[in-house]
Amino acid sequence: MQTMGDAREHFWRVIKMANACDVDLSTALDEGAIDITRYADMITDCRSCPQVGRCDKAQADAAKLDAAPEYCVNKDVFAELRGD
């Protein structure tokens, strides 16, 4: 079983990926598009992701992305929140 990553690091990683995908998680929470449980699940899912290095590189290479990378464990949530 894989060890989960640091919660704080993954909290910021999720926010950075959301921002790169033009998703405002604060607004999504305020408008009820996601609830706090789903938000926490996104962070937990990220903590278990084996592609952290690829994620960090993608975020470093491009400030904005058309969509979350295919390997992103939260790509479907980001797409849904963008209305894709």
Side-chain angles (χ1 to χ4, degrees):
M1 173 181 249
Q2 177 180 338
T3 302
M4 293 176 68
D6 180 75
R8 184 175 307 175
E9 288 177 19
H10 288 272
F11 168 81
W12 288 113
R13 190 170 279 116
V14 168
I15 289 174
K16 287 178 188 176
M17 184 59 76
N19 290 338
C21 293
D22 202 27
V23 170
D24 185 332
L25 291 173
S26 294
T27 299
L29 281 164
D30 290 344
E31 294 177 352
I34 59 171
D35 62 18
I36 196 68
T37 300
R38 182 65 191 119
Y39 190 26
D41 288 345
M42 291 173 71
I43 296 164
T44 300
D45 292 346
C46 183
R47 290 178 67 201
S48 299
C49 179
Q51 301 295 330
V52 172
R54 288 177 72 188
C55 179
D56 290 346
K57 182 166 177 11
Q59 290 177 15
D61 289 348
K64 293 293 179 184
L65 300 170
D66 292 332
E70 189 61 35
Y71 54 81
C72 178
V73 296
N74 290 307
K75 68 181 171 46
D76 293 337
V77 179
F78 293 136
E80 178 183 328
L81 292 173
R82 281 178 33 145
D84 294 351

